[in-house]
Amino acid sequence: MQKSLLTLGLLVISGSLVLAQKQDIEKKFDGKTAISEFTYLASDELMGRDPARPEMKLAYTFIASSLEKAGAKPIPGADGFYQNIPFRLSSPPKSGKLTIGSTDYAQGKNMLVLDGKSLTGTFELVEVGFGMEEDFAGKDLKGKIAVANVGAPNRLTPSDLFSLGGEKSKRAKEAGAVALIERFNAPAVPWQLASNFLNRATLTLDQGSSSDLTYIWVEDLKNQLRGDVLTKASLEITGKTNRSVDGKNVVAWIEGTDPNLKNEYVLLSAHYDHVGVGTPDAQGDSIYNGARDNAVGTVAVMNAAKYFAQNPPKRSILLALWTAEEKGLLGSAYFANNPLVPLDQIVYNLNIDNAGYNDTSLITVIGLGRTSGDFLLEEAAAEFGVKAVSDPSPEQGLYDRSDNVNFARKGIPAPTFSLGFTAFDDSIQKYYHKAGDHVDNFDLDYAQIYWKAFILSAQKIANWDQRPAWKAGDKYEEVSKQLYGK
């Protein structure tokens, strides 16, 4: 009898604590200010938050000011509330022609010059497989062109193609090559889509002298450019221009309260950039405001900063608003490769990215079911009257298309906390990367539930007496063991 009463008492205390946490967030959350922040970030004044446009300064200054006013602290090693990133804006050449054997390639048709300088001449071609380190070993590339496949085995997502391309360019430059040509044969990415997206000014990480290497993609869906038929290529690339762009991740931290757990960090993140200005819609609107993608997520992290600065959890909180997600997850990749906090002290990344929503009774967690802390996200959502569900559209590859994947690859458990959707359907596509993605057609009551559920989810993870981990058998389990030494 006494044991039963004790169990009942503990359940009552636990339930009261949970209720108190929710009520505290409800009480302290300033919905009016949050909506005002949301409205500003998705306003025409910011011109779609394109990292290459000068209006981006308005966005990152606004976010940094919010974190500072909230009481979050600069991370040692950062430039105040910024992590500076050297970007390079590379514009298409005025003309680009390539001839290999009897095949001709033309810029924007079956060829894309992605980076580097103008280059004219006839050069010997050298096959380098996937362009990995071992593929370059022993190859004479001085004054020649390296030819590789895009991506790598099992790494053919758009972000993989860009990040690995940068690594290959660096290897080719160091080996003395004058150019790198990659055969584009990624089945998941149609060439026409790539051509439409990349035959314009593109933002990449400035890699110093290796960024001057002429870097080309050619359409090769039928594997015509096999290594056994490669000999020489004639190139005529003129009018190539590049310029430097200053990029900024906005970063801060809040110290935890537990003497031991405060040395572990929960990373709360969202990208604050969007796609800028594009083709006008039927109404003549050419500013892609990005309310859903991803001003709503930026506001969630900003308001988490306000709450945790005044109510710090046991673990420390890292706050990061990434730049250039839309350009290939560049901001988060830069942090993951140049961390301001040791990666083995970051025990969890609760990321936010969005395309839209079509069910306000849900919160969709991309990656739900893959980590031990998932039940805490489900609890937090339920306490605000919504249900956390897993990705309903795995065919879209959403987990590998957002910033969380840069931390998952390092071994850090990293789900993405998204608006509720049941399919990547027409109601999502109506606003996704469209000029019509405005605050005035967003359900603001749902936005507030979403923001508060995010804060409670983060609080539960940060106070949990166990360290979150990948589920057994997950593809990131082994690298996680290497990171944390377990």
Side-chain angles (χ1 to χ4, degrees), residues 278-296:
T279 304
D281 62 13
Q283 289 72 43
D285 186 1
S286 62
I287 300 174
Y288 290 50
N289 302 85
R292 291 157 178 80
D293 183 16
N294 188 33
V296 68

Side-chain angles (χ1 to χ4, degrees), residues 89-102:
L89 189 69
S90 184
S91 298
K94 289 183 178 178
S95 68
K97 298 178 182 178
L98 167 67
T99 301
I100 301 176
S102 61

Side-chain angles (χ1 to χ4, degrees), residues 114-355:
L114 301 178
D115 205 352
K117 295 182 176 180
S118 298
L119 181 65
T120 298
T122 299
F123 306 92
E124 186 178 337
L125 301 174
V126 179
E127 170 67 41
V128 291
F130 274 99
M132 300 295 103
E133 208 167 323
E134 60 272 19
D135 294 321
F136 279 89
K139 302 284 177 67
D140 177 13
L141 282 159
K142 290 184 179 178
K144 302 174 184 177
I145 296 175
V147 181
N149 295 310
V150 291
N154 300 316
R155 290 193 63 184
L156 290 170
T157 67
S159 62
D160 287 330
L161 304 188
F162 292 125
S163 62
L164 290 171
E167 294 173 16
K168 297 173 195 181
S169 291
K170 187 174 182 180
R171 294 186 190 113
K173 180 71 174 180
E174 290 172 349
V178 296
L180 169 66
I181 294 175
E182 286 195 297
R183 294 177 288 249
F184 188 91
N185 47 20
V189 185
W191 172 260
Q192 195 57 49
L193 179 66
S195 181
N196 290 343
F197 183 72
L198 295 172
N199 192 26
R200 54 186 171 180
T202 57
L203 197 70
T204 59
L205 187 66
D206 192 325
Q207 300 188 104
S209 62
S210 64
S211 288
D212 290 335
L213 184 88
T214 305
Y215 175 36
I216 301 167
W217 278 359
V218 296
E219 184 181 17
D220 188 33
L221 300 182
K222 296 182 180 179
N223 198 29
Q224 294 169 301
L225 297 182
R226 302 186 312 275
D228 60 346
V229 300
L230 296 177
T231 53
K232 292 185 177 182
S234 295
L235 266 178
E236 187 179 338
I237 298 171
T238 62
K240 189 78 179 65
T241 60
N242 310 286
R243 69 176 176 88
S244 297
V245 173
D246 293 328
K248 293 186 187 294
N249 288 330
V250 187
V251 293
W253 78 295
I254 296 163
E255 187 174 19
T257 59
D258 185 274
N260 295 316
L261 290 180
K262 72 178 183 179
N263 295 313
E264 298 179 355
Y265 295 85
V266 174
L267 170 61
L268 306 182
S269 63
H271 76 90
Y272 71 96
D273 67 298
H274 193 52
V275 298
V277 178
T279 304
D281 62 13
Q283 289 72 43
D285 186 1
S286 62
I287 300 174
Y288 290 50
N289 302 85
R292 291 157 178 80
D293 183 16
N294 188 33
V296 68
T298 303
V299 172
V301 176
M302 289 165 61
N303 280 273
K306 295 176 188 178
Y307 183 78
F308 290 125
Q310 302 305 314
N311 307 274
K314 293 178 181 179
R315 288 185 174 87
S316 294
I317 297 291
L318 276 182
L319 303 151
L321 288 312
W322 311 124
T323 187
E325 186 271 351
E326 302 288 2
K327 306 299 184 182
L329 316 182
L330 298 182
S332 58
Y334 189 83
F335 186 99
N337 292 321
N338 303 273
L340 295 170
V341 168
L343 291 180
D344 62 0
Q345 290 181 244
I346 302 175
V347 300
Y348 196 79
N349 172 211
L350 188 58
N351 183 57
I352 293 182
D353 194 8
N354 285 292

Side-chain angles (χ1 to χ4, degrees), residues 358-376:
N358 56 26
D359 191 331
T360 58
S361 72
L362 303 176
I363 284 174
T364 300
V365 180
I366 309 300
L368 190 70
R370 297 179 64 176
T371 77
S372 61
D374 290 340
F375 75 98
L376 296 173

Side-chain angles (χ1 to χ4, degrees), residues 397-412:
L398 297 176
Y399 193 92
D400 294 324
R401 287 169 52 185
S402 191
D403 294 302
N404 57 290
V405 75
N406 284 322
F407 297 94
R409 288 181 183 139
K410 300 290 187 181
I412 298 167

